[in-house]
Amino acid sequence: MLGEDRKKIPFIITLFILASFLDILGIGLIGPYVALVVEGENSNLSIELFSLFNRLGFTINFNQLVLYFGFVLLLCFVLKGISSIIINYLIIKFSLSRTAKLRGWLMDKYQNMSYLEYVNRNSSEYITAVNNFAGSYSQSLKNILKMTSEGIVFIFIL
């Protein structure tokens, strides 16, 4: 039933996986950030980060370290939010395009029916099929894609 749009699904799932990595990165940085703030500049993490910055040729103080670390953490969550918006947009666009194609296919079938076959059925059956069934298909497809996205995030977090 997906036809040529079947080729778009691996791309969408790849985006799900990339968004999952951003989720994991953001969640993984919360603990070290809290530890850095709570334990202060004598913690093992801050000592390691100071040595990393020194090896890279940067000299920073503890306040700058906390600020940069917080900025990286904020950036991860902003990128995750943007990627979620893009993914939801792609899911909705994909499912609505499938709905439009299904409605077009149904209308084509109805228009190519013989006249006797067409008038033997109630017109409400055609309207129901085009509006309700195609819309239900779109909603189901959208829900399946969103559940897949959330499932991938859940698996990666576990």
Short mmCIF file of all heavy atoms in Angstrom, two decimals, residues 39-96:
data_model
loop_
_atom_site.label_atom_id
_atom_site.label_comp_id
_atom_site.label_asym_id
_atom_site.label_seq_id
_atom_site.Cartn_x
_atom_site.Cartn_y
_atom_site.Cartn_z
N GLU A 39 30.13 19.29 43.10
CA GLU A 39 31.42 18.94 43.68
C GLU A 39 32.45 20.07 43.58
O GLU A 39 33.43 20.08 44.31
CB GLU A 39 31.96 17.68 43.02
CG GLU A 39 31.13 16.45 43.34
CD GLU A 39 31.61 15.21 42.61
OE1 GLU A 39 32.69 15.26 41.98
OE2 GLU A 39 30.90 14.20 42.66
N GLY A 40 32.28 20.97 42.65
CA GLY A 40 33.18 22.11 42.55
C GLY A 40 34.41 21.82 41.70
O GLY A 40 34.52 20.79 41.03
N GLU A 41 35.36 22.76 41.78
CA GLU A 41 36.51 22.66 40.88
C GLU A 41 37.55 21.64 41.31
O GLU A 41 38.48 21.36 40.57
CB GLU A 41 37.16 24.02 40.67
CG GLU A 41 37.69 24.71 41.90
CD GLU A 41 38.18 26.10 41.55
OE1 GLU A 41 39.19 26.20 40.82
OE2 GLU A 41 37.55 27.06 42.00
N ASN A 42 37.41 21.01 42.46
CA ASN A 42 38.35 19.99 42.89
C ASN A 42 37.86 18.57 42.57
O ASN A 42 38.49 17.60 42.97
CB ASN A 42 38.64 20.11 44.39
CG ASN A 42 39.38 21.39 44.70
OD1 ASN A 42 40.17 21.87 43.89
ND2 ASN A 42 39.10 21.98 45.85
N SER A 43 36.75 18.47 41.85
CA SER A 43 36.23 17.14 41.51
C SER A 43 37.09 16.51 40.41
O SER A 43 37.82 17.20 39.69
CB SER A 43 34.77 17.25 41.03
OG SER A 43 34.72 17.90 39.79
N ASN A 44 37.01 15.22 40.30
CA ASN A 44 37.78 14.51 39.28
C ASN A 44 37.39 14.96 37.88
O ASN A 44 38.24 15.09 37.00
CB ASN A 44 37.56 12.99 39.40
CG ASN A 44 38.22 12.43 40.63
OD1 ASN A 44 39.16 13.01 41.16
ND2 ASN A 44 37.70 11.30 41.10
N LEU A 45 36.09 15.19 37.67
CA LEU A 45 35.61 15.61 36.35
C LEU A 45 36.18 16.96 35.96
O LEU A 45 36.66 17.14 34.84
CB LEU A 45 34.08 15.65 36.32
CG LEU A 45 33.45 16.13 35.02
CD1 LEU A 45 33.81 15.19 33.87
CD2 LEU A 45 31.94 16.25 35.17
N SER A 46 36.16 17.92 36.88
CA SER A 46 36.68 19.24 36.54
C SER A 46 38.19 19.19 36.30
O SER A 46 38.70 19.87 35.40
CB SER A 46 36.33 20.27 37.62
OG SER A 46 36.93 19.92 38.85
N ILE A 47 38.91 18.38 37.05
CA ILE A 47 40.35 18.24 36.85
C ILE A 47 40.62 17.66 35.46
O ILE A 47 41.50 18.13 34.73
CB ILE A 47 40.99 17.39 37.97
CG1 ILE A 47 40.91 18.16 39.30
CG2 ILE A 47 42.42 17.01 37.63
CD1 ILE A 47 41.28 17.33 40.52
N GLU A 48 39.84 16.63 35.09
CA GLU A 48 40.01 16.03 33.76
C GLU A 48 39.65 17.02 32.65
O GLU A 48 40.33 17.09 31.63
CB GLU A 48 39.15 14.78 33.64
CG GLU A 48 39.65 13.61 34.47
CD GLU A 48 38.71 12.42 34.40
OE1 GLU A 48 37.95 12.32 33.42
OE2 GLU A 48 38.75 11.59 35.32
N LEU A 49 38.61 17.79 32.85
CA LEU A 49 38.21 18.77 31.83
C LEU A 49 39.24 19.90 31.73
O LEU A 49 39.53 20.37 30.63
CB LEU A 49 36.82 19.33 32.13
CG LEU A 49 35.66 18.36 31.90
CD1 LEU A 49 34.35 18.96 32.38
CD2 LEU A 49 35.56 17.98 30.42
N PHE A 50 39.78 20.33 32.87
CA PHE A 50 40.83 21.35 32.83
C PHE A 50 42.04 20.84 32.05
O PHE A 50 42.61 21.56 31.23
CB PHE A 50 41.27 21.76 34.25
CG PHE A 50 40.34 22.72 34.93
CD1 PHE A 50 39.96 22.51 36.24
CD2 PHE A 50 39.84 23.84 34.27
CE1 PHE A 50 39.09 23.38 36.88
CE2 PHE A 50 38.99 24.72 34.90
CZ PHE A 50 38.61 24.50 36.22
N SER A 51 42.42 19.60 32.29
CA SER A 51 43.59 19.05 31.57
C SER A 51 43.28 18.90 30.08
O SER A 51 44.15 19.12 29.24
CB SER A 51 44.03 17.72 32.18
OG SER A 51 43.06 16.72 31.96
N LEU A 52 42.04 18.54 29.74
CA LEU A 52 41.65 18.44 28.34
C LEU A 52 41.75 19.80 27.66
O LEU A 52 42.32 19.91 26.56
CB LEU A 52 40.23 17.88 28.22
CG LEU A 52 39.64 17.86 26.81
CD1 LEU A 52 40.38 16.84 25.94
CD2 LEU A 52 38.16 17.58 26.85
N PHE A 53 41.22 20.84 28.31
CA PHE A 53 41.30 22.18 27.72
C PHE A 53 42.75 22.66 27.62
O PHE A 53 43.13 23.31 26.65
CB PHE A 53 40.46 23.18 28.53
CG PHE A 53 39.01 23.18 28.18
CD1 PHE A 53 38.07 22.60 29.02
CD2 PHE A 53 38.57 23.77 27.00
CE1 PHE A 53 36.73 22.60 28.69
CE2 PHE A 53 37.23 23.78 26.66
CZ PHE A 53 36.30 23.19 27.51
N ASN A 54 43.57 22.32 28.61
CA ASN A 54 44.99 22.72 28.56
C ASN A 54 45.70 22.04 27.40
O ASN A 54 46.53 22.65 26.73
CB ASN A 54 45.69 22.40 29.89
CG ASN A 54 45.30 23.39 30.97
OD1 ASN A 54 44.95 24.52 30.69
ND2 ASN A 54 45.35 22.94 32.22
N ARG A 55 45.39 20.74 27.17
CA ARG A 55 46.00 20.04 26.04
C ARG A 55 45.56 20.64 24.71
O ARG A 55 46.30 20.59 23.73
CB ARG A 55 45.67 18.55 26.08
CG ARG A 55 46.57 17.77 27.04
CD ARG A 55 46.30 16.29 26.97
NE ARG A 55 45.34 16.02 28.06
CZ ARG A 55 44.35 15.17 28.01
NH1 ARG A 55 44.15 14.44 26.95
NH2 ARG A 55 43.54 15.00 29.04
N LEU A 56 44.34 21.17 24.68
CA LEU A 56 43.85 21.80 23.45
C LEU A 56 44.35 23.24 23.30
O LEU A 56 44.12 23.87 22.27
CB LEU A 56 42.31 21.79 23.43
CG LEU A 56 41.64 20.43 23.34
CD1 LEU A 56 40.13 20.56 23.49
CD2 LEU A 56 41.98 19.75 22.01
N GLY A 57 45.03 23.73 24.31
CA GLY A 57 45.63 25.06 24.23
C GLY A 57 44.75 26.16 24.80
O GLY A 57 44.98 27.34 24.53
N PHE A 58 43.75 25.82 25.59
CA PHE A 58 42.86 26.81 26.19
C PHE A 58 43.08 26.85 27.69
O PHE A 58 43.23 25.82 28.33
CB PHE A 58 41.39 26.47 25.93
CG PHE A 58 41.03 26.44 24.48
CD1 PHE A 58 40.83 25.22 23.82
CD2 PHE A 58 40.87 27.60 23.77
CE1 PHE A 58 40.49 25.18 22.50
CE2 PHE A 58 40.52 27.57 22.43
CZ PHE A 58 40.34 26.36 21.78
N THR A 59 43.08 28.05 28.24
CA THR A 59 43.16 28.21 29.68
C THR A 59 41.84 28.81 30.13
O THR A 59 41.46 29.90 29.71
CB THR A 59 44.32 29.15 30.07
OG1 THR A 59 45.53 28.64 29.51
CG2 THR A 59 44.46 29.26 31.57
N ILE A 60 41.13 28.08 30.98
CA ILE A 60 39.83 28.55 31.46
C ILE A 60 39.76 28.38 32.96
O ILE A 60 40.49 27.59 33.55
CB ILE A 60 38.65 27.80 30.80
CG1 ILE A 60 38.70 26.31 31.12
CG2 ILE A 60 38.63 28.02 29.31
CD1 ILE A 60 37.45 25.56 30.69
N ASN A 61 38.85 29.14 33.58
CA ASN A 61 38.62 28.97 35.01
C ASN A 61 37.38 28.11 35.23
O ASN A 61 36.70 27.72 34.28
CB ASN A 61 38.53 30.33 35.73
CG ASN A 61 37.36 31.15 35.23
OD1 ASN A 61 36.32 30.63 34.83
ND2 ASN A 61 37.53 32.48 35.27
N PHE A 62 37.08 27.84 36.50
CA PHE A 62 35.98 26.94 36.82
C PHE A 62 34.63 27.49 36.35
O PHE A 62 33.79 26.75 35.83
CB PHE A 62 35.95 26.65 38.32
CG PHE A 62 34.84 25.75 38.73
CD1 PHE A 62 34.88 24.40 38.41
CD2 PHE A 62 33.74 26.24 39.40
CE1 PHE A 62 33.84 23.56 38.77
CE2 PHE A 62 32.70 25.40 39.77
CZ PHE A 62 32.75 24.06 39.45
N ASN A 63 34.41 28.78 36.53
CA ASN A 63 33.14 29.38 36.12
C ASN A 63 32.94 29.25 34.60
O ASN A 63 31.82 28.99 34.13
CB ASN A 63 33.05 30.84 36.54
CG ASN A 63 32.93 30.98 38.04
OD1 ASN A 63 32.47 30.07 38.72
ND2 ASN A 63 33.35 32.13 38.57
N GLN A 64 33.99 29.45 33.85
CA GLN A 64 33.89 29.29 32.40
C GLN A 64 33.62 27.84 32.03
O GLN A 64 32.85 27.56 31.11
CB GLN A 64 35.18 29.76 31.73
CG GLN A 64 35.39 31.25 31.77
CD GLN A 64 36.77 31.64 31.26
OE1 GLN A 64 37.75 30.93 31.49
NE2 GLN A 64 36.83 32.78 30.58
N LEU A 65 34.23 26.92 32.76
CA LEU A 65 34.02 25.50 32.52
C LEU A 65 32.55 25.14 32.73
O LEU A 65 31.94 24.45 31.90
CB LEU A 65 34.92 24.66 33.43
CG LEU A 65 34.79 23.14 33.30
CD1 LEU A 65 35.26 22.69 31.92
CD2 LEU A 65 35.59 22.46 34.40
N VAL A 66 31.98 25.59 33.83
CA VAL A 66 30.56 25.33 34.10
C VAL A 66 29.69 25.97 33.03
O VAL A 66 28.72 25.36 32.55
CB VAL A 66 30.18 25.83 35.52
CG1 VAL A 66 28.67 25.77 35.74
CG2 VAL A 66 30.90 25.03 36.58
N LEU A 67 30.03 27.17 32.62
CA LEU A 67 29.26 27.87 31.59
C LEU A 67 29.33 27.13 30.25
O LEU A 67 28.29 26.91 29.60
CB LEU A 67 29.78 29.30 31.42
CG LEU A 67 29.05 30.17 30.42
CD1 LEU A 67 27.65 30.48 30.92
CD2 LEU A 67 29.82 31.44 30.16
N TYR A 68 30.52 26.72 29.83
CA TYR A 68 30.66 26.00 28.56
C TYR A 68 29.96 24.65 28.60
O TYR A 68 29.31 24.25 27.63
CB TYR A 68 32.14 25.79 28.21
CG TYR A 68 32.91 27.06 27.93
CD1 TYR A 68 34.27 27.13 28.17
CD2 TYR A 68 32.28 28.18 27.42
CE1 TYR A 68 34.98 28.29 27.92
CE2 TYR A 68 32.99 29.34 27.17
CZ TYR A 68 34.32 29.40 27.42
OH TYR A 68 35.02 30.53 27.17
N PHE A 69 30.10 23.96 29.71
CA PHE A 69 29.45 22.65 29.86
C PHE A 69 27.92 22.81 29.81
O PHE A 69 27.21 22.04 29.16
CB PHE A 69 29.89 22.00 31.17
CG PHE A 69 29.76 20.52 31.20
CD1 PHE A 69 30.86 19.71 31.00
CD2 PHE A 69 28.54 19.93 31.44
CE1 PHE A 69 30.75 18.33 31.03
CE2 PHE A 69 28.41 18.54 31.48
CZ PHE A 69 29.52 17.76 31.27
N GLY A 70 27.42 23.85 30.48
CA GLY A 70 25.99 24.13 30.46
C GLY A 70 25.52 24.51 29.06
O GLY A 70 24.42 24.12 28.64
N PHE A 71 26.35 25.25 28.33
CA PHE A 71 26.01 25.61 26.96
C PHE A 71 25.91 24.37 26.07
O PHE A 71 24.99 24.25 25.26
CB PHE A 71 27.04 26.59 26.39
CG PHE A 71 26.75 26.98 24.97
CD1 PHE A 71 25.72 27.84 24.67
CD2 PHE A 71 27.52 26.47 23.94
CE1 PHE A 71 25.45 28.19 23.35
CE2 PHE A 71 27.26 26.80 22.62
CZ PHE A 71 26.22 27.67 22.33
N VAL A 72 26.86 23.45 26.23
CA VAL A 72 26.82 22.21 25.46
C VAL A 72 25.56 21.41 25.79
O VAL A 72 24.90 20.87 24.90
CB VAL A 72 28.10 21.37 25.70
CG1 VAL A 72 27.96 19.98 25.13
CG2 VAL A 72 29.31 22.07 25.10
N LEU A 73 25.23 21.36 27.07
CA LEU A 73 24.02 20.65 27.50
C LEU A 73 22.77 21.30 26.91
O LEU A 73 21.89 20.62 26.36
CB LEU A 73 23.95 20.63 29.02
CG LEU A 73 22.82 19.87 29.67
CD1 LEU A 73 22.91 18.39 29.33
CD2 LEU A 73 22.85 20.06 31.17
N LEU A 74 22.70 22.61 26.97
CA LEU A 74 21.57 23.34 26.39
C LEU A 74 21.50 23.14 24.89
O LEU A 74 20.42 22.93 24.33
CB LEU A 74 21.69 24.83 26.73
CG LEU A 74 20.59 25.73 26.20
CD1 LEU A 74 19.26 25.39 26.87
CD2 LEU A 74 20.94 27.18 26.42
N LEU A 75 22.63 23.17 24.23
CA LEU A 75 22.68 22.97 22.79
C LEU A 75 22.15 21.59 22.40
O LEU A 75 21.41 21.44 21.41
CB LEU A 75 24.11 23.15 22.27
CG LEU A 75 24.31 23.06 20.76
CD1 LEU A 75 23.59 24.21 20.06
CD2 LEU A 75 25.79 23.08 20.43
N CYS A 76 22.50 20.58 23.19
CA CYS A 76 21.99 19.21 22.92
C CYS A 76 20.47 19.18 22.97
O CYS A 76 19.82 18.60 22.09
CB CYS A 76 22.55 18.22 23.92
SG CYS A 76 24.24 17.76 23.63
N PHE A 77 19.89 19.83 23.97
CA PHE A 77 18.43 19.79 24.11
C PHE A 77 17.75 20.66 23.06
O PHE A 77 16.66 20.33 22.59
CB PHE A 77 18.01 20.18 25.52
CG PHE A 77 18.21 19.06 26.49
CD1 PHE A 77 19.23 19.08 27.42
CD2 PHE A 77 17.36 17.96 26.47
CE1 PHE A 77 19.41 18.04 28.30
CE2 PHE A 77 17.54 16.90 27.35
CZ PHE A 77 18.57 16.94 28.27
N VAL A 78 18.37 21.76 22.67
CA VAL A 78 17.80 22.59 21.59
C VAL A 78 17.83 21.82 20.27
O VAL A 78 16.83 21.80 19.53
CB VAL A 78 18.55 23.93 21.47
CG1 VAL A 78 18.19 24.66 20.20
CG2 VAL A 78 18.25 24.81 22.68
N LEU A 79 18.96 21.17 19.98
CA LEU A 79 19.04 20.37 18.76
C LEU A 79 18.05 19.22 18.79
O LEU A 79 17.45 18.88 17.76
CB LEU A 79 20.46 19.84 18.55
CG LEU A 79 21.51 20.88 18.17
CD1 LEU A 79 22.89 20.24 18.11
CD2 LEU A 79 21.16 21.52 16.84
N LYS A 80 17.86 18.62 19.95
CA LYS A 80 16.87 17.54 20.07
C LYS A 80 15.47 18.07 19.82
O LYS A 80 14.66 17.43 19.14
CB LYS A 80 16.97 16.89 21.45
CG LYS A 80 15.86 15.93 21.78
CD LYS A 80 15.73 14.81 20.78
CE LYS A 80 14.59 13.90 21.18
NZ LYS A 80 13.78 13.46 20.09
N GLY A 81 15.16 19.24 20.35
CA GLY A 81 13.85 19.85 20.12
C GLY A 81 13.61 20.16 18.65
O GLY A 81 12.54 19.88 18.10
N ILE A 82 14.63 20.71 18.00
CA ILE A 82 14.52 21.02 16.57
C ILE A 82 14.36 19.74 15.76
O ILE A 82 13.54 19.67 14.84
CB ILE A 82 15.75 21.84 16.10
CG1 ILE A 82 15.71 23.24 16.72
CG2 ILE A 82 15.80 21.93 14.59
CD1 ILE A 82 16.98 24.04 16.52
N SER A 83 15.14 18.72 16.11
CA SER A 83 15.03 17.46 15.37
C SER A 83 13.65 16.82 15.59
O SER A 83 13.10 16.22 14.67
CB SER A 83 16.14 16.48 15.76
OG SER A 83 15.99 16.01 17.07
N SER A 84 13.09 16.96 16.78
CA SER A 84 11.75 16.42 17.03
C SER A 84 10.70 17.14 16.19
O SER A 84 9.79 16.50 15.65
CB SER A 84 11.38 16.57 18.51
OG SER A 84 12.16 15.74 19.30
N ILE A 85 10.84 18.45 16.05
CA ILE A 85 9.91 19.21 15.21
C ILE A 85 10.03 18.76 13.76
O ILE A 85 9.02 18.54 13.08
CB ILE A 85 10.18 20.72 15.36
CG1 ILE A 85 9.76 21.19 16.75
CG2 ILE A 85 9.43 21.51 14.28
CD1 ILE A 85 10.21 22.59 17.08
N ILE A 86 11.25 18.61 13.28
CA ILE A 86 11.47 18.18 11.90
C ILE A 86 10.92 16.78 11.68
O ILE A 86 10.26 16.50 10.67
CB ILE A 86 12.97 18.26 11.54
CG1 ILE A 86 13.41 19.71 11.48
CG2 ILE A 86 13.26 17.55 10.22
CD1 ILE A 86 14.90 19.91 11.38
N ILE A 87 11.17 15.87 12.62
CA ILE A 87 10.68 14.50 12.49
C ILE A 87 9.16 14.46 12.49
O ILE A 87 8.55 13.76 11.67
CB ILE A 87 11.29 13.60 13.59
CG1 ILE A 87 12.76 13.35 13.28
CG2 ILE A 87 10.53 12.29 13.72
CD1 ILE A 87 13.52 12.66 14.38
N ASN A 88 8.53 15.21 13.39
CA ASN A 88 7.06 15.24 13.40
C ASN A 88 6.52 15.82 12.11
O ASN A 88 5.51 15.34 11.58
CB ASN A 88 6.54 16.03 14.60
CG ASN A 88 6.59 15.24 15.87
OD1 ASN A 88 6.46 14.02 15.86
ND2 ASN A 88 6.78 15.91 16.98
N TYR A 89 7.18 16.83 11.58
CA TYR A 89 6.76 17.41 10.30
C TYR A 89 6.85 16.36 9.19
O TYR A 89 5.93 16.21 8.38
CB TYR A 89 7.63 18.62 9.96
CG TYR A 89 7.45 19.11 8.54
CD1 TYR A 89 6.34 19.87 8.19
CD2 TYR A 89 8.39 18.81 7.56
CE1 TYR A 89 6.17 20.31 6.89
CE2 TYR A 89 8.22 19.24 6.26
CZ TYR A 89 7.11 19.99 5.93
OH TYR A 89 6.95 20.42 4.65
N LEU A 90 7.96 15.62 9.15
CA LEU A 90 8.12 14.59 8.12
C LEU A 90 7.11 13.46 8.27
O LEU A 90 6.60 12.95 7.26
CB LEU A 90 9.55 14.02 8.16
CG LEU A 90 10.64 14.97 7.69
CD1 LEU A 90 12.01 14.35 7.90
CD2 LEU A 90 10.45 15.35 6.23
N ILE A 91 6.81 13.08 9.51
CA ILE A 91 5.81 12.04 9.74
C ILE A 91 4.44 12.50 9.23
O ILE A 91 3.75 11.76 8.53
CB ILE A 91 5.74 11.67 11.24
CG1 ILE A 91 6.98 10.88 11.65
CG2 ILE A 91 4.48 10.87 11.54
CD1 ILE A 91 7.08 10.65 13.15
N ILE A 92 4.06 13.71 9.59
CA ILE A 92 2.75 14.22 9.16
C ILE A 92 2.71 14.39 7.65
O ILE A 92 1.73 14.00 7.00
CB ILE A 92 2.44 15.54 9.89
CG1 ILE A 92 2.20 15.27 11.37
CG2 ILE A 92 1.25 16.26 9.27
CD1 ILE A 92 2.14 16.50 12.24
N LYS A 93 3.78 14.92 7.07
CA LYS A 93 3.82 15.10 5.61
C LYS A 93 3.73 13.75 4.90
O LYS A 93 3.00 13.61 3.92
CB LYS A 93 5.12 15.82 5.23
CG LYS A 93 5.26 16.08 3.75
CD LYS A 93 6.57 16.80 3.45
CE LYS A 93 6.77 16.91 1.97
NZ LYS A 93 8.07 17.48 1.64
N PHE A 94 4.45 12.76 5.40
CA PHE A 94 4.45 11.43 4.80
C PHE A 94 3.06 10.81 4.86
O PHE A 94 2.54 10.31 3.87
CB PHE A 94 5.47 10.54 5.50
CG PHE A 94 5.54 9.14 4.98
CD1 PHE A 94 6.22 8.87 3.81
CD2 PHE A 94 4.94 8.09 5.66
CE1 PHE A 94 6.30 7.57 3.32
CE2 PHE A 94 5.01 6.80 5.18
CZ PHE A 94 5.69 6.54 4.01
N SER A 95 2.44 10.85 6.05
CA SER A 95 1.13 10.21 6.19
C SER A 95 0.05 10.95 5.40
O SER A 95 -0.83 10.31 4.81
CB SER A 95 0.74 10.09 7.66
OG SER A 95 0.61 11.35 8.26
N LEU A 96 0.12 12.27 5.35
CA LEU A 96 -0.88 13.01 4.57
C LEU A 96 -0.70 12.82 3.06
O LEU A 96 -1.68 12.78 2.32
CB LEU A 96 -0.85 14.50 4.92
CG LEU A 96 -1.37 14.85 6.32
CD1 LEU A 96 -1.25 16.34 6.57
CD2 LEU A 96 -2.79 14.38 6.52
#
